[in-house]
Amino acid sequence: MADQTPSGENLLFLTDEQLRKGIEAMFFAYRGFTADPDRILEGMDYGRAHHRAVHFIHRSPGTTVSNLLTILGVTKQSLNRVLRTLIEEGLVEARVGRRDKRERHLHLTTKGQELERVLSDAQRARMRAAYRAAGPQAVAGFRQVLEAMMDPELRRQYQGLKESGA
Amino acid sequence: MADQTPSGENLLFLTDEQLRKGIEAMFFAYRGFTADPDRILEGMDYGRAHHRAVHFIHRSPGTTVSNLLTILGVTKQSLNRVLRTLIEEGLVEARVGRRDKRERHLHLTTKGQELERVLSDAQRARMRAAYRAAGPQAVAGFRQVLEAMMDPELRRQYQGLKESGA
DNA sequence: CTTGGAAAGTCAACATCGCTGACATAACTT
DNA sequence: AAGTTATGTCAGCGATGTTGACTTTCCAAG
């Protein structure tokens, strides 16, 4: 940015040292990111996997098991174990599809919505504090870098969520 | 909110919807962040925990087990299992402390450095691509938000690494 | 020199959450 | 009727985290 080559930017932000710092920042920040929900969930019968399922069912009500499998990137056996407990304990309702009766459309019950809110409140509170501390311009950059870091297929999933969720 | 309160910024970036998108961005980006090393490690006898240990030993050669425990935030039993295999297979050397012979100072062997390089090359390649795509200003914002998201104690650990590693 | 406590290592047991493989059921599609 | 898809389930395994209890080593303080 200070000089004028064709690819004219200052590339100091691409040094190995800068990249390593970015890697470590991701590591430590992700710990913070999951810390609050983890604390809330410990003691309940649930874990991080339940949180993720509840989050995305909240985000896309009526989504199918297949959809959720794609978004979460786990095996159906792994997801099934989680969904089963959520359904048994009345947090999630699985409605048989009208058009295709093989499909299960997933919805949060009132109880499920309550858990989602508690978890999401905690996570958003941390996010909000970080956003506020860093400012809107930093937030825009944060989102840009994270999007660029995703696998293309996951980026599409993510962007699909953005549209439907807006 | 496009108006002029004393703390007069546009606060649209703090809506729940924006925060949720940030949360999902972290989730999907972290998947990408760990994908390449995970792929490399699968098939070897090692996993993500080994990667983390190797990374931070590389970053702070001669660090003690206690130090590493603090940075990684796991129990000594969990770390010990990882370190034992790394030492057995000749990737890490544990030197008894000179001043305090109870301490083990950890170093990567040549073989350990090789693995570190392979993993780190892959992870940095993704990071570099993301940084390049987003640009230096976005990177600065990315780092600011991540730092603000860390637990204070972890932020100190992170900043300590920055200094010593520069 | 003895004792207390810190650092490290080890053993056993367990929980969560990934995985594979195999199989069953139901229902849509051709 | 046959093939495919979506889902569910059982059994078993692996990686990585946890607690609790215990030992060994060794510095440091009395």
Side-chain angles (χ1 to χ4, degrees), chain B residues 84-141:
Chain B
R84 202 189 320 145
T85 71
L86 290 174
I87 291 169
E88 277 169 7
E89 310 206 15
L91 301 184
V92 167
E93 191 188 350
R95 300 182 194 152
V96 172
R98 281 172 307 179
R99 276 190 32 189
D100 185 336
K101 295 181 189 167
R102 288 166 304 181
E103 293 181 344
R104 300 293 186 277
H105 297 273
L106 304 168
H107 299 263
L108 293 184
T109 63
T110 303
K111 198 173 157 191
Q113 284 168 10
E114 278 167 22
L115 179 62
E116 196 284 331
R117 199 184 44 72
V118 170
L119 294 172
S120 149
D121 279 355
Q123 204 158 34
R124 274 183 285 119
R126 182 181 292 253
M127 213 66 181
R128 188 178 300 111
Y131 273 22
R132 199 190 301 276
Q137 197 171 23
V139 168

Side-chain angles (χ1 to χ4, degrees), chain B residues 66 76-77 80 102-104:
Chain B
S66 280
K76 64 176 175 175
Q77 293 90 331
N80 196 258
R102 288 166 304 181
E103 293 181 344
R104 300 293 186 277

Side-chain angles (χ1 to χ4, degrees), chain B residues 35-108:
Chain B
D36 302 321
D38 282 356
R39 241 188 310 277
I40 293 169
L41 288 163
E42 100 180 349
M44 306 196 193
D45 296 357
Y46 311 120
R48 211 177 277 184
H50 300 84
H51 179 195
R52 291 197 282 257
V54 164
H55 175 98
F56 285 108
I57 294 171
H58 170 89
R59 185 63 147 159
S60 305
T63 189
T64 62
V65 173
S66 280
N67 252 323
L68 209 48
L69 282 176
T70 308
I71 288 173
L72 295 176
V74 298
T75 59
K76 64 176 175 175
Q77 293 90 331
S78 197
L79 177 57
N80 196 258
R81 183 167 39 195
V82 166
L83 280 182
R84 202 189 320 145
T85 71
L86 290 174
I87 291 169
E88 277 169 7
E89 310 206 15
L91 301 184
V92 167
E93 191 188 350
R95 300 182 194 152
V96 172
R98 281 172 307 179
R99 276 190 32 189
D100 185 336
K101 295 181 189 167
R102 288 166 304 181
E103 293 181 344
R104 300 293 186 277
H105 297 273
L106 304 168
H107 299 263
L108 293 184

